Amino acid sequence: MNKFYCFLIVISLISCFKADRLEDEISKIDTQAKIVRFDKTFANADKSDLGALKKEFPYLFPAEYPDSVWVARMNDSLHQDVYNEIRLKYNDFETDTSQIKSVFQHVKYYFKDFKAPKVITVISDVDYKNRVIYADSLMLIGLDNYLGSDHRYYGGIQQYIKKNFTATQIPIDVAKTIGRSKIAAPKDRTFLGELIQYGKLYYLIDLFIPSAEKNNIIGYTIDEYDWALANENYVWRYFIEKELLFSTDAKLGERFINPAPFSKFYLEIDGDSPGRIGQFIGWQIVASYMQNNEVSLQQMLNTSAEEIFNKSRYKPEK
């Protein structure tokens, strides 16, 4: 028995050494994170600066809006108040810049053709469904979505949504938007197809930010993540027994995939469960597939949901 434990310790040490060596290699990748604080520039501008701003940032000034709209926004007291709150929270963006750069370096390691986008911070009027927008060479980050879950601006937003309005989610949301661009739109419209689609996404985020806590990657509190781990076997058995995997019932997305305060088994456990439990299960299936098969990351991303499931040998512990 002692020999067995010694063997496990040696294996663990070797794995840690390999991980440290990989991170050291990734940290040397020459990728910049050019971040432009448009939120600060616009807040400190006046009418005379508008022409220059429109010339430098044409994509932030839709042509259908007259200059009077932007001048009014410059003078709007609420807009100034929002910026002041952002300034208090993010006046020094050095740590966040370093984290974003690390994400870019990891993406570059796994996707050689990746080119770091120009990052522009903006005030989005708490457009929390589009906290980060990514379009190849450009990335917009709405900093007013990351002021802290208990901030007064979020008073009318439900807790299950605003719990992730924190600074720790910025690099994760950056990784998520890039990750989505690397995953092809699903051809499989089954419940299993949706699970695997999210599983691929979270697997990528975990690669892009290996230091991130697992619960933060999926946007769970620690208690929610612990519940998911503790009840993983029960949830999986429920999916199997109810024959949900190959169903195309759209209501399954509402019950187990889409953002919600809890998942809907229509049982007593509903109130204790976190929402989006199907996304969690999908992540575990993809992780099991990668652990049990000698395939590259690109091969996995191009593999169908059904094949991933069949070859994953996924079997959560009781």
Side-chain angles (χ1 to χ4, degrees):
M1 184 64 71
N2 289 335
K3 289 183 178 179
F4 176 73
Y5 284 123
C6 288
F7 175 75
L8 290 180
I9 291 172
V10 170
I11 293 297
S12 178
L13 290 174
I14 292 174
S15 297
C16 289
F17 174 74
K18 288 182 177 178
D20 289 343
R21 188 169 60 182
L22 174 60
E23 286 305 300
D24 182 61
E25 180 182 348
I26 291 175
S27 69
K28 295 175 182 177
I29 294 176
D30 184 18
T31 298
Q32 299 300 314
K34 183 180 180 181
I35 297 181
V36 179
R37 291 296 303 272
F38 176 80
D39 60 304
K40 182 183 294 188
T41 300
F42 189 85
N44 293 312
D46 58 30
K47 184 178 180 179
S48 64
D49 301 311
L50 185 57
L53 287 176
K54 290 176 70 175
K55 184 176 181 180
E56 184 176 359
F57 306 99
Y59 37 81
L60 296 179
F61 296 91
E64 61 266 28
Y65 294 103
D67 287 357
S68 58
V69 170
W70 310 116
V71 174
R73 186 171 177 83
M74 288 176 174
N75 297 322
D76 182 60
S77 59
L78 177 58
H79 185 269
Q80 287 295 329
D81 185 64
V82 173
Y83 171 67
N84 286 332
E85 292 298 301
I86 291 175
R87 180 175 55 82
L88 290 172
K89 182 76 174 178
Y90 297 107
N91 190 49
D92 178 7
F93 209 65
E94 185 175 341
T95 298
D96 304 272
T97 299
S98 177
Q99 292 173 336
I100 293 171
K101 178 182 177 180
S102 178
V103 172
F104 291 169
Q105 288 174 317
H106 282 78
V107 177
K108 182 71 174 179
Y109 177 81
Y110 292 105
F111 297 90
K112 305 304 182 185
D113 60 345
F114 172 75
K115 294 181 180 180
K118 180 179 181 180
V119 180
I120 300 177
T121 60
V122 300
I123 296 176
S124 71
D125 297 328
V126 192
D127 182 10
Y128 60 81
K129 292 184 178 180
N130 298 289
R131 291 182 289 187
V132 176
I133 297 175
Y134 170 58
D136 295 327
S137 62
L138 188 66
M139 178 175 284
L140 306 180
I141 301 177
L143 290 184
D144 50 327
N145 297 288
Y146 301 99
L147 297 175
S149 58
D150 58 350
H151 196 278
R152 58 189 169 90
Y153 290 155
Y154 312 143
I157 300 175
Q158 292 177 284
Q159 180 60 34
Y160 76 91
I161 296 174
K162 67 182 181 181
K163 67 185 178 185
N164 289 312
F165 292 6
T166 61
T168 57
Q169 287 298 124
I170 292 177
I172 290 173
D173 285 348
V174 167
K176 182 180 292 185
T177 57
I178 297 174
R180 284 188 175 126
S181 73
K182 303 300 181 183
I183 304 172
K187 296 179 181 179
D188 186 344
R189 300 298 178 182
T190 65
F191 183 54
L192 175 65
E194 289 192 76
L195 300 186
I196 300 302
Q197 191 76 358
Y198 278 101
K200 290 179 178 181
L201 177 61
Y202 291 124
Y203 189 86
L204 282 181
I205 297 172
D206 203 5
L207 289 180
F208 296 163
I209 320 179
S211 61
E213 297 294 337
K214 302 293 187 183
N215 66 291
N216 287 332
I217 288 175
I218 196 170
Y220 279 173
T221 65
I222 293 176
D223 287 343
E224 288 174 333
Y225 190 76
D226 287 346
W227 189 97
L229 288 175
N231 292 276
E232 182 180 354
N233 178 265
Y234 174 82
V235 173
W236 181 241
R237 283 193 291 111
Y238 180 90
F239 288 172
I240 296 298
E241 290 170 4
K242 298 295 183 180
E243 300 181 346
L244 303 184
L245 294 186
F246 298 99
S247 172
T248 56
D249 184 355
K251 292 182 180 179
L252 293 176
E254 299 174 7
R255 293 172 61 189
F256 302 113
I257 298 289
N258 301 340
F262 53 85
S263 294
K264 301 175 182 66
F265 299 89
Y266 304 133
L267 298 169
E268 291 183 1
I269 65 169
D270 284 13
D272 296 323
S273 70
R276 302 179 292 112
I277 195 65
Q279 296 185 16
F280 171 82
I281 295 296
W283 186 10
Q284 308 315 304
I285 294 173
V286 171
S288 180
Y289 172 79
M290 292 300 286
Q291 182 177 351
N292 292 312
N293 294 272
E294 292 289 335
V295 295
S296 69
L297 179 62
Q298 287 292 346
Q299 287 174 317
M300 180 272 285
L301 293 176
N302 292 321
T303 300
S304 69
E306 188 169 355
E307 184 176 346
I308 286 177
F309 168 63
N310 289 335
K311 295 183 178 179
S312 67
R313 287 185 267 168
Y314 174 65
K315 189 176 181 180
E317 295 181 5
K318 295 181 179 181

